[in-house]
Amino acid sequence: MTIENTIVEHVKNAVQSLYQTEVAADSIVIQETRKEFEGQVTVVIFPFTRLSKTSPEQTGTRIGEYLMQHVAEVTGFNVIKGFLNLSVSDQHWVDQLLGNVLNESYGQFPSNGQKVMVEYSSPNTNKPLHLGHVRNNLLGYSVSEILSANGYDVIKVNLVNDRGIHICKSMLAWQLFGNGETPESSGLKGDHLVGKYYVIFDKEYKKQIEELVSSGQTEEEAKKNAPVIKQAQEMLLKWEAGDQEVLKLWQMMNGWVYAGFDITYKRLGVDFAKYYYESDTYLLGKDTIQEGLDMGVFFRKDDGSVWIDLTEDGLDQKLVLRADGTSVYITQDLGTAQLKYDDYKMDKSIYVVGNEQDYHFKVLFLILQKLGKSWAEGLYHLSYGMVDLPSGKMKSREGTVVDADELMDDMIRTAKERTEELGKVDGFSESEKANLYDMIGLGALKFFLLKVEPKKRLLFDPNESIDFQGHTGPFIQYTHARIRSVLAKAGYSTKLTSNYQEGLTVLERELIVTLAKYPDVIDAAAREYSPAMIANYIYELSKLYNKFYHEESILKAEDPDVRNFRLDLSLASSSVISKGMKLLGIRVPERM
RNA sequence: GCAUCUGUAGCUUAAUUGGAUAGAGCACCUGACUACGGAUCAGGAGGUUAGGGGUUCGACUCCCUUCAGAUGCACCA
């Protein structure tokens, strides 16, 4: 039981005995005491003044006195306005550190017996991954890690959009202009090669539109009549009809793309337990449509198309099956949702998808609920904001994207330059150096993208390279390396001190209080699906440790008990930093 | 037009979900034990939380409204 829970319990009793009123535990607000006041735990008193019919100060004082008498850990209190600040005994904090924080499993909750699926990445196979995908991948991976730390059994899946007109465009352009170019012959990564032809297609398409317009067609007509777009559409029809030649080309080019993606995923450090391919799932969902018709949830119009009326829920009428009986986007998503559930029977399912699809997912989940799917309750759309550039939106057709591979290269190169400037890698082997630059460069990138709340839109200026100082990944990595260095110097293993006497310094106490709330942060981050909460917590902890480090001697402490205690505190800090960063997919070095 | 999201210091952002004097970082200025690792630490300056109204003991947070931006409103995916 945490100290907060203990205090809530006793505040409840205090109100009961002082004012003869029952209050619900969750209506009692407890918070961390602000730094400028004495104490560590604060109870907000305002809600009780209604019952006590006395001033907040008087009420706070009476409850404070009650707590002093009934809770052993509470050693003092003060009341400021309506806030009751409680001092908790040093012994309690020391026990927290030695008994909890330093445990191997600290921050890892036991299994809760629940399965959760996280679908993320979901790339198209006609172009390489760009910065927007990077945000998606990092979010999906990190949320998976966080859920796992909270005791969930996590299944990471990737739903690959491997079919459709966009792939036919790349395929066609390659046929027309490729001269048999391959990744081997060009030296290009497969996904980049295919992406190159996607851009070529678009150029050709635009050229043809222009020609048609100048020969008298309207822009709209020209867009429909341009020969390349017609050819691409024919190709899609052939693909759907199972044309061997088209399928062969499709398989070859997708193969190139997958080989490229594998490399990028590996560098990013993300992985998947299961891949779903739209070429397998795009015809799914028709059973579900029939189910809905039988239940009367859907209705059929005269032309044969099938719809659902969501106007009572504040939404529109939505088409779920075309008049000719073919699927639309939501049809296959209904089918895929069912397929995924049948495969895994998970309790929750998280879709990591950009916020331009908010409406789609609202509709999707609502339909599944109306179809009476018990598991629809567990569906969640983790919606995140777009990544914008100063020049505006990224458009892969126009080549105005920040490429994921290039971005990683840049970050790692910057990390290398920065580290060499500081001249701290003497004695590192070449492979150790490469590993370190990788760690720092990607750490900077990942932290930069994850420290912002997912739903906020992200502005990325490629000209201003990402900082390595301040509120950054490298700052935290540096703190970790610094602690490890002190521990190494002390020849310190994992031994614990036991007989630390009371009398913590302010910073020692603050550090323990901060370390002690780590599990709460893990829990909150999972409830909110927010890696940003972890990122900001780890930053706060690192900052605090650096302050402590600066003001209190560790190795030079005269009293050996104090020295050992501070080493314990340092070990605990480095361990929590390392664990928290791992949840963000960021590694931390022993030296840097 | 309708709907959803966003708006916090010059820039990037936080605020324990309605609590105390809105915290940080970057950039700018000033400093730091003769560096247990200076990718650090301390201090200064910088805010009408987009504007206005309301609810509340108490509002960045909830409600209404205006403004700005983004996205969605396809028998595309």
Side-chain angles (χ1 to χ4, degrees), chain A residues 42 46 81 83 303 319 322 329 356 424 455-456 471 478 482 485 528 539 543 549 552 555 592:
Chain A
T42 293
F46 292 108
K81 295 201 209 166
F83 298 90
D303 65 1
L319 176 92
R322 289 194 189 108
Y329 180 36
E356 68 272 17
K424 288 189 183 176
K455 75 174 168 185
K456 285 203 175 183
H471 191 177
Y478 171 77
R482 180 187 231 186
S485 163
E528 305 284 327
Y539 173 66
K543 219 171 136 48
Y549 175 91
E552 324 250 359
L555 299 179
M592 69 184 274

Coordinates of all heavy atoms in Angstrom, one line a residue, chain A residues 42 46 81 83 303 319 322 329 356 424 455-456 471 478 482 485 528 539 543 549 552 555 592, chain B residues 6-7 14 17 19-21 24-25 36-42 57 71-72 75-77:
Chain A
T42 N 0.3 16.3 0.0 CA -0.7 17.3 0.3 C -2.1 16.9 0.1 O -2.4 16.2 -0.9 CB -0.4 18.5 -0.6 OG1 0.9 19.1 -0.3 CG2 -1.5 19.6 -0.5
F46 N -10.3 22.0 0.7 CA -11.5 22.8 0.3 C -12.8 21.9 0.3 O -13.8 22.4 0.8 CB -11.4 23.4 -1.1 CG -10.3 24.5 -1.1 CD1 -9.1 24.3 -1.7 CD2 -10.6 25.7 -0.4 CE1 -8.2 25.3 -1.7 CE2 -9.7 26.7 -0.4 CZ -8.5 26.6 -1.1
K81 N -3.6 28.1 3.3 CA -4.8 28.2 2.7 C -5.6 26.9 2.8 O -5.7 26.4 3.9 CB -4.7 28.6 1.2 CG -4.0 29.9 1.0 CD -4.3 30.4 -0.4 CE -3.2 31.4 -0.9 NZ -3.4 31.6 -2.3
F83 N -4.7 24.0 1.9 CA -3.9 22.8 1.6 C -3.2 22.3 2.8 O -2.5 23.0 3.5 CB -2.8 23.2 0.5 CG -3.4 23.6 -0.8 CD1 -3.7 24.9 -1.0 CD2 -3.7 22.7 -1.8 CE1 -4.3 25.3 -2.2 CE2 -4.3 23.0 -2.9 CZ -4.6 24.4 -3.2
D303 N -31.1 0.5 -55.0 CA -30.1 0.2 -56.0 C -29.2 -1.0 -55.5 O -28.3 -1.4 -56.2 CB -29.2 1.4 -56.2 CG -28.4 1.8 -55.0 OD1 -28.6 1.2 -53.9 OD2 -27.7 2.8 -55.1
L319 N -22.3 4.5 -46.1 CA -22.3 3.3 -47.0 C -21.4 2.2 -46.5 O -20.3 2.5 -46.1 CB -21.8 3.7 -48.4 CG -21.7 2.6 -49.4 CD1 -23.0 2.5 -50.2 CD2 -20.5 2.9 -50.3
R322 N -21.1 -1.4 -51.6 CA -21.6 -0.8 -52.9 C -22.7 -1.5 -53.5 O -23.0 -2.7 -53.2 CB -20.4 -0.8 -53.9 CG -19.3 0.2 -53.5 CD -18.4 0.3 -54.8 NE -17.2 1.1 -54.4 CZ -16.0 0.5 -54.3 NH1 -15.8 -0.8 -54.6 NH2 -14.9 1.2 -54.0
Y329 N -13.8 0.8 -48.0 CA -12.8 0.8 -47.0 C -13.3 0.2 -45.7 O -12.7 -0.7 -45.1 CB -12.3 2.2 -46.8 CG -11.2 2.5 -45.7 CD1 -10.2 1.5 -45.5 CD2 -11.2 3.6 -45.0 CE1 -9.2 1.8 -44.6 CE2 -10.2 3.9 -44.1 CZ -9.3 2.9 -43.8 OH -8.3 3.2 -42.9
E356 N -6.3 12.1 -39.1 CA -7.2 12.4 -40.3 C -8.2 11.3 -40.4 O -9.2 11.4 -41.1 CB -6.4 12.5 -41.6 CG -5.7 11.3 -42.1 CD -4.3 11.1 -41.5 OE1 -4.0 11.7 -40.5 OE2 -3.5 10.3 -42.0
K424 N 35.5 12.5 -25.9 CA 35.3 11.6 -24.7 C 35.3 10.1 -25.0 O 34.9 9.3 -24.2 CB 33.9 11.9 -24.1 CG 33.9 13.3 -23.4 CD 32.7 13.4 -22.6 CE 32.6 14.7 -21.9 NZ 31.3 14.9 -21.3
K455 N -1.5 13.5 -29.6 CA -2.6 14.2 -30.4 C -2.1 15.5 -30.9 O -2.8 16.1 -31.8 CB -3.9 14.2 -29.6 CG -4.0 15.2 -28.6 CD -5.4 15.3 -28.0 CE -5.5 16.0 -26.7 NZ -6.8 16.0 -26.1
K456 N -1.0 16.0 -30.4 CA -0.6 17.3 -30.9 C 0.1 17.2 -32.2 O 0.9 16.2 -32.4 CB 0.3 18.0 -29.8 CG -0.4 18.5 -28.7 CD 0.4 19.6 -28.0 CE -0.4 20.2 -26.9 NZ 0.3 21.3 -26.3
H471 N 16.3 19.6 -22.8 CA 15.2 18.7 -22.7 C 15.3 17.6 -23.8 O 14.5 17.7 -24.7 CB 13.9 19.4 -22.7 CG 12.7 18.6 -22.4 ND1 11.4 19.1 -22.3 CD2 12.5 17.3 -22.1 CE1 10.6 18.2 -22.0 NE2 11.2 17.1 -21.8
Y478 N 23.3 11.1 -21.0 CA 24.4 11.7 -20.3 C 24.3 11.4 -18.8 O 25.3 11.0 -18.1 CB 24.6 13.1 -20.6 CG 25.7 13.8 -19.8 CD1 27.0 13.6 -20.1 CD2 25.3 14.6 -18.7 CE1 28.0 14.2 -19.3 CE2 26.3 15.2 -17.9 CZ 27.6 15.0 -18.2 OH 28.6 15.6 -17.4
R482 N 26.8 9.3 -16.5 CA 27.5 9.9 -15.4 C 27.3 9.1 -14.1 O 28.3 8.9 -13.4 CB 26.9 11.3 -15.3 CG 27.5 12.1 -14.2 CD 26.6 13.4 -14.1 NE 27.5 14.6 -14.1 CZ 27.0 15.8 -13.9 NH1 25.7 16.0 -13.7 NH2 27.9 16.8 -13.9
S485 N 29.3 6.0 -14.2 CA 30.7 6.2 -14.0 C 31.1 6.4 -12.6 O 32.1 5.9 -12.1 CB 31.0 7.5 -14.8 OG 32.3 8.0 -14.4
E528 N -3.5 6.5 -20.4 CA -3.6 7.6 -21.4 C -2.9 7.2 -22.8 O -2.9 8.0 -23.7 CB -2.9 8.8 -20.9 CG -3.4 9.3 -19.5 CD -4.8 10.0 -19.6 OE1 -5.0 10.6 -20.6 OE2 -5.6 9.8 -18.7
Y539 N 12.8 12.8 -17.7 CA 13.5 14.1 -17.8 C 13.6 14.8 -16.4 O 14.6 15.3 -16.0 CB 12.9 15.0 -18.8 CG 13.4 16.4 -18.8 CD1 14.7 16.6 -19.3 CD2 12.7 17.5 -18.4 CE1 15.3 17.9 -19.3 CE2 13.2 18.8 -18.4 CZ 14.5 19.0 -18.9 OH 15.1 20.2 -18.9
K543 N 17.0 15.6 -14.3 CA 17.3 17.0 -13.9 C 17.5 17.0 -12.4 O 18.5 17.6 -11.9 CB 16.1 17.9 -14.3 CG 16.5 19.2 -14.8 CD 15.3 19.9 -15.3 CE 15.3 21.4 -14.8 NZ 16.6 22.0 -15.0
Y549 N 23.5 15.7 -7.6 CA 24.9 15.3 -7.9 C 25.8 16.5 -7.7 O 26.9 16.4 -7.2 CB 25.0 14.8 -9.3 CG 26.4 14.5 -9.8 CD1 26.9 13.3 -9.6 CD2 27.1 15.5 -10.4 CE1 28.2 13.0 -10.1 CE2 28.4 15.3 -10.8 CZ 29.0 14.0 -10.7 OH 30.2 13.8 -11.1
E552 N 25.5 17.6 -3.6 CA 25.9 16.7 -2.5 C 27.0 15.8 -3.0 O 26.9 15.1 -4.0 CB 24.7 15.8 -2.1 CG 23.4 16.6 -2.2 CD 22.8 16.9 -0.8 OE1 23.4 16.5 0.2 OE2 21.7 17.5 -0.8
L555 N 31.0 10.3 -3.5 CA 32.2 9.5 -3.1 C 33.0 10.2 -2.0 O 33.7 9.6 -1.2 CB 33.1 9.4 -4.3 CG 32.4 8.6 -5.5 CD1 33.4 8.5 -6.7 CD2 32.0 7.2 -5.0
M592 N 29.7 7.9 -22.4 CA 29.5 8.6 -23.6 C 30.3 9.9 -23.7 O 30.9 10.3 -22.7 CB 28.0 9.0 -23.8 CG 27.4 10.0 -22.8 SD 25.7 10.2 -23.1 CE 25.6 11.5 -24.4
Chain B
rU6 P -7.9 18.9 -28.4 OP1 -7.1 18.3 -27.3 OP2 -9.1 19.7 -28.1 O5' -6.9 19.9 -29.1 C5' -5.5 19.6 -29.3 C4' -4.8 20.6 -30.2 O4' -5.6 20.9 -31.4 C3' -4.7 22.0 -29.5 O3' -3.7 22.1 -28.6 C2' -4.5 22.9 -30.7 O2' -3.2 22.7 -31.2 C1' -5.4 22.2 -31.8 N1 -6.7 22.9 -31.8 C2 -6.8 24.1 -32.5 O2 -5.8 24.7 -33.0 N3 -8.0 24.7 -32.5 C4 -9.2 24.2 -31.9 O4 -10.2 24.9 -32.1 C5 -9.1 23.0 -31.3 C6 -7.9 22.4 -31.2
rG7 P -3.8 23.1 -27.3 OP1 -2.8 22.8 -26.4 OP2 -5.3 23.1 -26.9 O5' -3.5 24.5 -28.0 C5' -2.3 24.7 -28.7 C4' -2.3 26.0 -29.4 O4' -3.5 26.2 -30.2 C3' -2.3 27.2 -28.4 O3' -1.4 28.2 -28.9 C2' -3.7 27.7 -28.4 O2' -3.8 29.1 -28.2 C1' -4.1 27.4 -29.8 N9 -5.6 27.2 -29.9 C8 -6.3 26.1 -29.5 N7 -7.6 26.3 -29.7 C5 -7.7 27.5 -30.3 C6 -8.8 28.2 -30.8 O6 -10.0 27.8 -30.8 N1 -8.5 29.4 -31.4 C2 -7.3 29.9 -31.5 N2 -7.1 31.1 -32.1 N3 -6.2 29.3 -31.0 C4 -6.5 28.1 -30.5
rA14 P 3.3 19.1 -24.3 OP1 3.1 17.7 -24.4 OP2 2.2 20.0 -24.7 O5' 3.6 19.4 -22.7 C5' 4.5 18.6 -22.0 C4' 4.5 19.0 -20.6 O4' 5.1 20.3 -20.4 C3' 3.3 19.0 -19.7 O3' 2.8 17.7 -19.4 C2' 3.8 19.8 -18.5 O2' 4.5 18.9 -17.7 C1' 4.7 20.8 -19.1 N9 4.1 22.1 -19.3 C8 3.7 22.8 -20.4 N7 3.2 24.0 -20.2 C5 3.2 24.1 -18.8 C6 2.9 25.1 -17.9 N6 2.3 26.3 -18.3 N1 3.1 25.0 -16.6 C2 3.6 23.8 -16.2 N3 4.0 22.8 -16.9 C4 3.8 23.0 -18.2
rU17 P -5.4 14.5 -11.0 OP1 -5.5 16.0 -10.8 OP2 -5.4 13.6 -9.8 O5' -6.5 14.0 -11.9 C5' -7.7 14.6 -11.9 C4' -7.8 15.7 -13.0 O4' -6.7 15.6 -14.0 C3' -9.1 15.8 -13.8 O3' -9.4 17.1 -14.1 C2' -8.7 15.0 -15.0 O2' -9.5 15.2 -16.1 C1' -7.3 15.5 -15.3 N1 -6.5 14.6 -16.1 C2 -6.1 13.4 -15.6 O2 -6.4 13.0 -14.5 N3 -5.3 12.6 -16.5 C4 -4.9 13.0 -17.7 O4 -4.3 12.2 -18.4 C5 -5.4 14.3 -18.2 C6 -6.1 15.0 -17.3
rG19 P -6.8 20.3 -10.8 OP1 -6.3 19.9 -12.1 OP2 -6.4 19.4 -9.6 O5' -6.3 21.7 -10.5 C5' -5.0 21.9 -9.8 C4' -5.1 23.1 -8.9 O4' -6.4 23.2 -8.3 C3' -4.1 23.1 -7.8 O3' -3.7 24.4 -7.5 C2' -4.9 22.5 -6.6 O2' -4.4 22.8 -5.4 C1' -6.3 23.2 -6.9 N9 -7.4 22.5 -6.3 C8 -7.8 21.2 -6.5 N7 -8.9 20.9 -5.9 C5 -9.3 22.1 -5.3 C6 -10.5 22.4 -4.6 O6 -11.4 21.6 -4.3 N1 -10.5 23.7 -4.2 C2 -9.5 24.6 -4.5 N2 -9.7 25.8 -4.0 N3 -8.4 24.3 -5.2 C4 -8.4 23.0 -5.6
rA20 P -2.6 25.1 -8.4 OP1 -3.3 25.7 -9.6 OP2 -1.4 24.3 -8.6 O5' -2.3 26.3 -7.4 C5' -3.3 27.2 -7.0 C4' -2.9 27.8 -5.7 O4' -2.7 26.9 -4.7 C3' -1.5 28.5 -5.9 O3' -1.5 29.7 -5.1 C2' -0.5 27.5 -5.3 O2' 0.6 28.1 -4.7 C1' -1.4 26.9 -4.2 N9 -1.0 25.5 -3.8 C8 -1.0 24.4 -4.6 N7 -0.6 23.3 -4.1 C5 -0.3 23.8 -2.8 C6 0.2 23.1 -1.7 N6 0.5 21.8 -1.7 N1 0.5 23.8 -0.5 C2 0.2 25.1 -0.6 N3 -0.3 25.8 -1.5 C4 -0.5 25.1 -2.6
rU21 P -2.0 31.1 -5.7 OP1 -2.1 32.1 -4.6 OP2 -3.0 30.8 -6.7 O5' -0.6 31.5 -6.5 C5' -0.7 32.6 -7.4 C4' 0.6 32.8 -8.0 O4' 1.6 33.1 -7.0 C3' 1.2 31.5 -8.7 O3' 2.0 31.9 -9.9 C2' 2.2 31.0 -7.7 O2' 3.2 30.3 -8.3 C1' 2.7 32.3 -7.1 N1 3.3 32.1 -5.7 C2 4.7 32.3 -5.6 O2 5.4 32.5 -6.6 N3 5.1 32.1 -4.3 C4 4.4 31.9 -3.2 O4 5.0 31.8 -2.1 C5 3.0 31.7 -3.4 C6 2.5 31.9 -4.7
rA24 P 11.1 26.2 -13.2 OP1 12.1 26.2 -12.1 OP2 10.9 27.5 -13.9 O5' 11.5 25.1 -14.2 C5' 12.1 25.4 -15.4 C4' 12.2 24.1 -16.2 O4' 10.8 23.8 -16.7 C3' 13.0 24.2 -17.4 O3' 14.4 23.9 -17.1 C2' 12.4 23.2 -18.4 O2' 12.8 21.9 -18.0 C1' 10.9 23.5 -18.1 N9 10.3 24.6 -18.9 C8 9.9 25.7 -18.4 N7 9.4 26.5 -19.3 C5 9.5 25.8 -20.5 C6 9.2 26.1 -21.8 N6 8.7 27.2 -22.2 N1 9.5 25.1 -22.7 C2 10.1 24.0 -22.3 N3 10.4 23.6 -21.1 C4 10.1 24.6 -20.2
rG25 P 15.5 24.9 -17.5 OP1 16.8 24.5 -16.8 OP2 15.1 26.3 -17.5 O5' 15.7 24.4 -19.0 C5' 16.1 23.1 -19.4 C4' 15.9 22.9 -20.8 O4' 14.5 23.0 -21.2 C3' 16.5 23.9 -21.8 O3' 17.9 23.6 -22.0 C2' 15.7 23.7 -23.0 O2' 16.1 22.5 -23.7 C1' 14.3 23.5 -22.5 N9 13.6 24.8 -22.3 C8 13.3 25.5 -21.2 N7 12.7 26.6 -21.4 C5 12.5 26.6 -22.8 C6 11.8 27.5 -23.6 O6 11.3 28.6 -23.3 N1 11.9 27.2 -25.0 C2 12.5 26.0 -25.4 N2 12.4 25.8 -26.8 N3 13.1 25.1 -24.7 C4 13.1 25.5 -23.4
rC36 P 35.0 16.9 -9.2 OP1 33.8 17.6 -8.7 OP2 36.3 17.1 -8.4 O5' 34.7 15.3 -9.2 C5' 35.7 14.4 -9.0 C4' 35.1 13.1 -8.7 O4' 34.3 13.2 -7.5 C3' 34.0 12.7 -9.8 O3' 34.7 12.0 -10.8 C2' 33.1 11.7 -8.9 O2' 33.7 10.4 -8.9 C1' 33.2 12.4 -7.5 N1 32.0 13.2 -7.2 C2 31.0 12.6 -6.5 O2 31.1 11.4 -6.2 N3 29.9 13.3 -6.2 C4 29.8 14.6 -6.6 N4 28.7 15.3 -6.3 C5 30.9 15.2 -7.3 C6 31.9 14.5 -7.6
rG37 P 33.8 11.5 -12.1 OP1 32.7 10.7 -11.7 OP2 34.8 11.0 -13.1 O5' 33.3 12.9 -12.7 C5' 34.2 13.8 -13.2 C4' 33.5 14.4 -14.5 O4' 33.4 13.4 -15.5 C3' 32.1 15.0 -14.2 O3' 32.0 16.2 -15.0 C2' 31.2 13.9 -14.8 O2' 30.0 14.4 -15.3 C1' 32.1 13.4 -15.9 N9 31.8 12.0 -16.3 C8 31.7 10.9 -15.5 N7 31.4 9.8 -16.2 C5 31.2 10.3 -17.5 C6 30.8 9.6 -18.6 O6 30.5 8.4 -18.7 N1 30.7 10.4 -19.7 C2 30.9 11.7 -19.7 N2 30.8 12.4 -20.9 N3 31.3 12.4 -18.7 C4 31.4 11.6 -17.6
rG38 P 31.4 17.5 -14.4 OP1 32.4 18.2 -13.7 OP2 30.1 17.1 -13.7 O5' 31.0 18.4 -15.7 C5' 29.9 18.0 -16.5 C4' 29.9 18.9 -17.7 O4' 29.8 20.3 -17.2 C3' 31.2 18.9 -18.5 O3' 30.8 19.2 -19.9 C2' 32.0 20.0 -18.0 O2' 32.9 20.6 -19.0 C1' 30.9 21.0 -17.7 N9 31.3 22.0 -16.6 C8 31.5 21.8 -15.3 N7 31.9 22.9 -14.7 C5 31.9 23.9 -15.6 C6 32.2 25.2 -15.6 O6 32.5 25.9 -14.6 N1 32.1 25.8 -16.8 C2 31.8 25.2 -18.0 N2 31.8 26.0 -19.0 N3 31.5 23.9 -18.1 C4 31.6 23.3 -16.9
rA39 P 30.4 17.9 -20.9 OP1 30.6 16.7 -20.2 OP2 30.9 18.2 -22.2 O5' 28.8 18.2 -21.0 C5' 28.3 19.4 -21.5 C4' 27.0 19.1 -22.2 O4' 27.2 18.2 -23.3 C3' 26.0 18.4 -21.2 O3' 24.7 18.8 -21.6 C2' 26.1 16.9 -21.6 O2' 25.0 16.1 -21.4 C1' 26.4 17.0 -23.1 N9 27.1 15.9 -23.7 C8 28.2 15.2 -23.2 N7 28.6 14.3 -24.0 C5 27.7 14.3 -25.0 C6 27.6 13.5 -26.2 N6 28.4 12.5 -26.5 N1 26.6 13.8 -27.0 C2 25.8 14.8 -26.7 N3 25.8 15.6 -25.7 C4 26.8 15.3 -24.9
rU40 P 23.9 19.8 -20.6 OP1 22.5 19.5 -20.7 OP2 24.3 21.2 -21.0 O5' 24.5 19.6 -19.2 C5' 24.0 18.4 -18.4 C4' 24.6 18.5 -17.0 O4' 26.0 18.8 -17.1 C3' 23.9 19.7 -16.2 O3' 22.7 19.3 -15.7 C2' 25.0 19.9 -15.2 O2' 25.0 18.9 -14.2 C1' 26.3 19.7 -16.0 N1 26.8 21.0 -16.5 C2 27.3 22.0 -15.7 O2 27.3 21.8 -14.5 N3 27.7 23.1 -16.2 C4 27.7 23.4 -17.6 O4 28.1 24.5 -18.0 C5 27.2 22.4 -18.4 C6 26.7 21.2 -17.9
rC41 P 21.5 20.4 -15.5 OP1 20.4 19.6 -15.0 OP2 21.5 21.3 -16.6 O5' 22.1 21.2 -14.2 C5' 22.3 20.6 -13.0 C4' 22.9 21.6 -12.0 O4' 24.2 22.0 -12.5 C3' 22.2 22.9 -11.9 O3' 21.1 22.9 -11.0 C2' 23.3 23.8 -11.4 O2' 23.5 23.5 -10.0 C1' 24.5 23.3 -12.2 N1 24.7 24.1 -13.4 C2 25.3 25.4 -13.3 O2 25.6 25.8 -12.2 N3 25.5 26.1 -14.4 C4 25.2 25.6 -15.6 N4 25.4 26.3 -16.7 C5 24.6 24.3 -15.7 C6 24.4 23.6 -14.6
rA42 P 19.9 23.9 -11.2 OP1 18.8 23.4 -10.3 OP2 19.6 24.1 -12.7 O5' 20.5 25.2 -10.7 C5' 20.8 25.4 -9.3 C4' 21.4 26.7 -9.0 O4' 22.6 26.9 -9.7 C3' 20.5 27.9 -9.4 O3' 19.5 28.2 -8.5 C2' 21.6 29.0 -9.5 O2' 21.9 29.5 -8.3 C1' 22.7 28.2 -10.1 N9 22.8 28.3 -11.6 C8 22.5 27.4 -12.5 N7 22.6 27.8 -13.8 C5 23.1 29.1 -13.6 C6 23.4 30.0 -14.6 N6 23.4 29.8 -15.9 N1 23.9 31.2 -14.2 C2 23.9 31.4 -12.8 N3 23.6 30.6 -11.8 C4 23.2 29.4 -12.3
rC57 P -19.2 28.2 -4.7 OP1 -19.6 27.4 -3.6 OP2 -20.0 29.3 -5.3 O5' -17.7 28.8 -4.4 C5' -17.6 29.9 -3.5 C4' -16.1 30.0 -3.2 O4' -15.7 28.9 -2.3 C3' -15.1 29.9 -4.4 O3' -15.0 31.1 -5.0 C2' -13.9 29.5 -3.7 O2' -13.2 30.5 -3.1 C1' -14.4 28.5 -2.6 N1 -14.4 27.1 -3.1 C2 -13.2 26.4 -3.2 O2 -12.1 27.0 -2.9 N3 -13.1 25.1 -3.6 C4 -14.3 24.5 -3.9 N4 -14.2 23.2 -4.3 C5 -15.5 25.2 -3.8 C6 -15.5 26.5 -3.4
rU71 P -4.9 20.1 -43.6 OP1 -3.9 19.5 -44.5 OP2 -5.8 21.2 -44.1 O5' -5.9 19.0 -43.1 C5' -5.3 17.8 -42.5 C4' -6.4 17.0 -41.8 O4' -6.9 17.9 -40.7 C3' -7.6 16.6 -42.6 O3' -7.4 15.5 -43.4 C2' -8.6 16.3 -41.5 O2' -8.3 15.1 -40.8 C1' -8.3 17.5 -40.5 N1 -9.2 18.7 -40.8 C2 -10.4 18.6 -40.2 O2 -10.8 17.7 -39.6 N3 -11.2 19.7 -40.5 C4 -10.8 20.8 -41.2 O4 -11.7 21.8 -41.4 C5 -9.5 20.8 -41.7 C6 -8.7 19.7 -41.5
rG72 P -8.2 15.3 -44.7 OP1 -7.5 14.2 -45.4 OP2 -8.4 16.6 -45.4 O5' -9.6 14.8 -44.2 C5' -9.7 13.6 -43.5 C4' -11.1 13.5 -42.9 O4' -11.3 14.6 -42.0 C3' -12.3 13.6 -43.8 O3' -12.5 12.4 -44.5 C2' -13.4 14.0 -42.9 O2' -13.9 12.9 -42.2 C1' -12.7 15.0 -42.0 N9 -12.8 16.4 -42.4 C8 -11.9 17.2 -43.0 N7 -12.3 18.4 -43.3 C5 -13.6 18.4 -42.8 C6 -14.6 19.4 -42.7 O6 -14.4 20.6 -43.1 N1 -15.7 19.0 -42.1 C2 -16.0 17.7 -41.7 N2 -17.2 17.5 -41.1 N3 -15.1 16.8 -41.7 C4 -13.9 17.2 -42.2
rC75 P -19.7 8.0 -51.5 OP1 -19.3 9.1 -52.4 OP2 -21.1 8.1 -51.0 O5' -19.6 6.6 -52.3 C5' -18.8 5.7 -51.6 C4' -18.6 4.6 -52.7 O4' -19.8 3.9 -52.9 C3' -18.1 5.1 -54.0 O3' -17.2 4.2 -54.5 C2' -19.4 5.1 -54.8 O2' -19.2 4.8 -56.2 C1' -20.2 3.9 -54.2 N1 -21.6 4.0 -54.3 C2 -22.3 3.0 -55.0 O2 -21.6 2.1 -55.5 N3 -23.6 3.0 -55.0 C4 -24.3 4.0 -54.4 N4 -25.6 4.0 -54.5 C5 -23.7 5.0 -53.7 C6 -22.3 5.0 -53.6
rC76 P -15.8 4.4 -55.0 OP1 -15.7 5.0 -56.3 OP2 -15.4 3.0 -54.8 O5' -15.0 5.3 -54.0 C5' -14.2 4.7 -53.0 C4' -12.7 4.8 -53.3 O4' -12.3 6.2 -53.2 C3' -11.8 4.1 -52.4 O3' -11.7 2.7 -52.8 C2' -10.5 4.8 -52.6 O2' -9.9 4.4 -53.8 C1' -11.0 6.2 -52.7 N1 -10.9 7.0 -51.5 C2 -9.7 7.6 -51.1 O2 -8.7 7.4 -51.8 N3 -9.6 8.3 -50.0 C4 -10.6 8.5 -49.2 N4 -10.5 9.2 -48.1 C5 -11.9 7.9 -49.5 C6 -12.0 7.2 -50.7
rA77 P -11.9 1.6 -51.7 OP1 -11.9 0.3 -52.4 OP2 -12.9 1.9 -50.7 O5' -10.5 1.7 -50.9 C5' -9.3 1.4 -51.6 C4' -8.1 1.8 -50.7 O4' -8.2 3.3 -50.5 C3' -8.2 1.3 -49.3 O3' -7.7 0.0 -49.2 C2' -7.4 2.3 -48.5 O2' -6.1 2.1 -48.6 C1' -7.8 3.6 -49.2 N9 -9.0 4.3 -48.5 C8 -10.3 4.0 -48.7 N7 -11.1 4.8 -48.0 C5 -10.2 5.6 -47.2 C6 -10.3 6.6 -46.3 N6 -11.5 7.0 -45.8 N1 -9.2 7.1 -45.7 C2 -8.0 6.7 -46.2 N3 -7.8 5.8 -47.1 C4 -8.9 5.2 -47.6

